[in-house]
């Protein structure tokens, strides 16, 4: 009787969502069945190299932002030969332009590998918000070319891959404009495509033309329609209705999407996965302006544990 009631409630919920896909409770197998604290941990054999996971925070963030993400991966994959680099070189100035922040992150990665004399077998990246753009920019640099064949998973948490051009929240758009003016932020100027009068010469468009994402085994895009800071379609790298109706900017937007997704589709060894997230959020001002959902991917233990146990850990095995 209990199971029948649960099934009926679940089906009703899915109809109300009006979205294609499945819920985590539909899955019969979890991403990991290893207990969080196994009784005996074997000594790690590092001869085959380690899996370096680089975590990059977003705007006005810091190196501790992704600590829960790191924790749940470590708990779910004990003995996984994982080494985490919690990026901190940009935490003092995330309002700089992307080229400057790219240089800092690239220096940080190379210095980390050299300092600890790491033998790298795989490299994965986890980014939140603006951090995902810095990651993509690092992939295009000549100094990183040596590591391209070691790329494993790119986990993008609410990443503004198409910028914030078609943000349906006037409040957030106004806030970003004010912040850009006050901070004289190069990164916010670039995210809103106001760094050049010709859209095709803007940083984000030119970044979309460069190679990078197709070298990963997994490109995982996590997005939430409740997030007003980063447009849902931007985090998922897909077209939106407003862009389709926009005869001036829409075609350029479509080109950008094709630039990004084309190489991923053609790459035989690369898999693109999209996860839509619906958070249970309280009725607060943060929820209203969409900030709560934007940071829930970092601080919601309920979401993070479920996400990694059900699917996320598969991408880091």
């Amino acid at each position: 009787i209990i199971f029948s009631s649960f099934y009926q409630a679940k089906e009703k919920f899915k109809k109300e969502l009006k979205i294609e896909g499945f819920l985590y409770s539909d899955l019969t197998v979890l991403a990991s069945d290893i207990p969080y604290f196994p009784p005996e941990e074997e000594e790690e054999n590092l001869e085959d190299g380690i899996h370096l996971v680089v975590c990059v925070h977003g705007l006005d963030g810091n190196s501790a932002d992704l600590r829960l993400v790191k924790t749940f991966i470590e708990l779910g994959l004990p003995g996984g030969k994982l080494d985490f680099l919690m990026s901190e070189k940009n935490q003092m100035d995330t309002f700089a332009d992307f080229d400057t922040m790219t240089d800092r992150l690239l220096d940080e990665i190379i210095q980390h590998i050299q300092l600890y004399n790491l033998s790298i077998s795989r490299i994965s990246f986890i980014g939140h918000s603006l951090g995902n753009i810095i990651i993509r920019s690092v992939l295009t640099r000549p100094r990183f070319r040596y590591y391209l064949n070691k790329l494993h998973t790119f986990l993008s948490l609410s990443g503004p891959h198409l910028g914030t051009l078609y943000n349906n929240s006037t409040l957030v758009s106004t806030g970003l404009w004010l912040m850009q003016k006050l901070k004289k932020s190069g990164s916010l100027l670039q995210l809103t495509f106001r760094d050049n009068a010709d859209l095709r010469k803007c940083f984000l468009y030119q970044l979309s033309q460069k190679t990078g994402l197709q070298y990963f085994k997994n490109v995982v895009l996590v997005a939430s329609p409740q997030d007003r800071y980063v447009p849902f379609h931007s985090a998922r790298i897909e077209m939106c209705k407003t862009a389709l109706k926009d005869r001036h900017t829409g075609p350029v937007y479509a080109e950008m999407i094709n630039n990004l997704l084309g190489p991923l589709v053609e790459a035989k060894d690369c898999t693109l996965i999209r996860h839509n997230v619906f958070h249970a959020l309280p009725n607060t001002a943060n929820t209203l302006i969409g900030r709560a959902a934007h940071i829930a991917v970092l601080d919601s233990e309920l979401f993070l544990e479920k996400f990694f146990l059900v699917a996320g850990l598969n991408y880091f095995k």
Side-chain angles (χ1 to χ4, degrees):
I1 295 172
I2 294 173
F3 177 77
S4 177
S5 299
F6 171 75
Y7 180 77
Q8 289 172 2
K10 186 171 75 170
E11 290 304 308
K12 181 183 177 185
F13 177 65
K14 285 166 76 172
K15 286 179 182 177
E16 289 175 355
L17 282 179
K18 296 179 182 177
I19 191 164
E20 293 181 8
F22 54 88
L23 304 177
Y24 71 84
S25 55
D26 292 333
L27 300 175
T28 55
V29 180
L30 295 178
S32 176
D33 55 3
I34 303 170
Y36 276 172
F37 301 101
E40 291 183 15
E41 289 192 21
E42 296 180 5
E43 286 290 320
E44 287 187 13
N45 178 15
L46 300 179
E47 287 182 7
D48 299 329
I50 63 154
H51 184 175
L52 177 64
V53 182
V54 183
C55 297
V56 186
H57 61 78
L59 186 72
D60 215 17
N62 62 65
S63 60
D65 283 1
L66 285 95
R67 64 192 181 282
L68 281 179
V69 174
K70 172 180 181 284
T71 297
F72 281 112
I73 293 176
E74 286 180 322
L75 284 173
L77 298 175
K81 296 182 184 178
L82 298 167
D83 180 68
F84 284 84
L85 167 56
M86 311 303 283
S87 177
E88 58 181 32
K89 288 289 185 180
N90 283 309
Q91 65 185 11
M92 299 304 291
D93 181 21
T94 52
F95 294 98
D97 62 84
F98 280 113
D99 282 324
T100 301
M101 292 192 287
T102 300
D103 289 336
R104 292 175 189 157
L105 178 59
L106 184 54
D107 287 342
E108 188 175 20
I109 294 168
I110 292 173
Q111 285 169 13
H112 180 82
I113 293 171
Q114 292 176 347
L115 180 64
Y116 295 101
N117 195 25
L118 300 179
S119 174
I120 304 292
S121 62
R122 294 187 293 181
I123 300 179
S124 290
F125 285 91
I126 304 174
H128 177 242
S129 192
L130 170 146
N132 290 290
I133 306 300
I134 306 173
I135 291 167
R136 281 178 45 209
S137 183
V138 162
L139 305 178
T140 67
R141 292 298 177 88
R143 281 199 296 154
F144 193 78
R145 196 172 294 151
Y146 171 78
Y147 300 104
L148 289 177
N149 66 342
K150 299 180 186 297
L151 293 180
H152 187 64
T153 289
F154 176 38
L155 174 57
S156 166
L157 303 171
S158 300
H161 297 286
L162 303 175
T164 57
L165 194 62
Y166 294 109
N167 195 328
N168 57 9
S169 172
T170 308
L171 188 64
V172 171
S173 296
T174 305
L176 290 175
W177 180 81
L178 282 170
M179 195 178 290
Q180 192 274 316
K181 291 294 181 185
L182 289 169
K183 299 279 188 177
K184 293 182 172 55
S185 171
S187 59
L188 288 181
L189 201 69
Q190 291 167 321
L191 280 178
T192 51
F193 289 85
R194 286 186 287 118
D195 51 314
N196 199 295
D198 183 348
L199 288 177
R200 289 183 178 87
K201 290 181 181 176
C202 286
F203 174 82
L204 279 183
Y205 184 89
Q206 296 200 324
L207 182 60
S208 76
Q209 293 179 302
K210 298 174 183 177
T211 59
L213 292 182
Q214 68 269 32
Y215 292 104
F216 287 102
K217 297 289 187 293
N218 310 297
V219 175
V220 187
L221 306 176
V222 176
S224 172
Q226 298 160 295
D227 185 347
R228 299 283 185 273
Y229 275 34
V230 171
F232 188 53
H233 53 87
S234 184
R236 284 172 52 84
I237 313 181
E238 64 182 8
M239 202 63 175
C240 68
K241 290 180 181 178
T242 314
L244 284 170
K245 295 175 184 176
D246 186 345
R247 293 184 179 180
H248 173 64
T249 309
V252 181
Y253 210 65
E255 287 173 23
M256 227 166 77
I257 295 168
N258 289 332
N259 291 343
L260 286 167
L261 297 184
L264 291 181
V265 173
E266 292 173 11
K268 293 179 181 178
D269 297 326
C270 180
T271 305
L272 172 65
I273 308 105
R274 292 184 175 110
H275 289 285
N276 299 340
V277 184
F278 300 87
H279 301 282
L281 299 169
N283 292 320
T284 63
N286 269 343
T287 302
L288 183 66
I289 64 173
R291 181 177 181 272
H294 188 65
I295 61 172
V297 290
L298 298 179
D299 64 10
S300 170
E301 292 187 31
L302 179 67
F303 159 68
L304 288 169
E305 183 169 27
K306 276 192 168 57
F307 172 70
F308 282 111
L309 268 182
V310 172
L313 293 175
N314 283 324
Y315 310 131
F316 294 92
K317 286 180 176 176

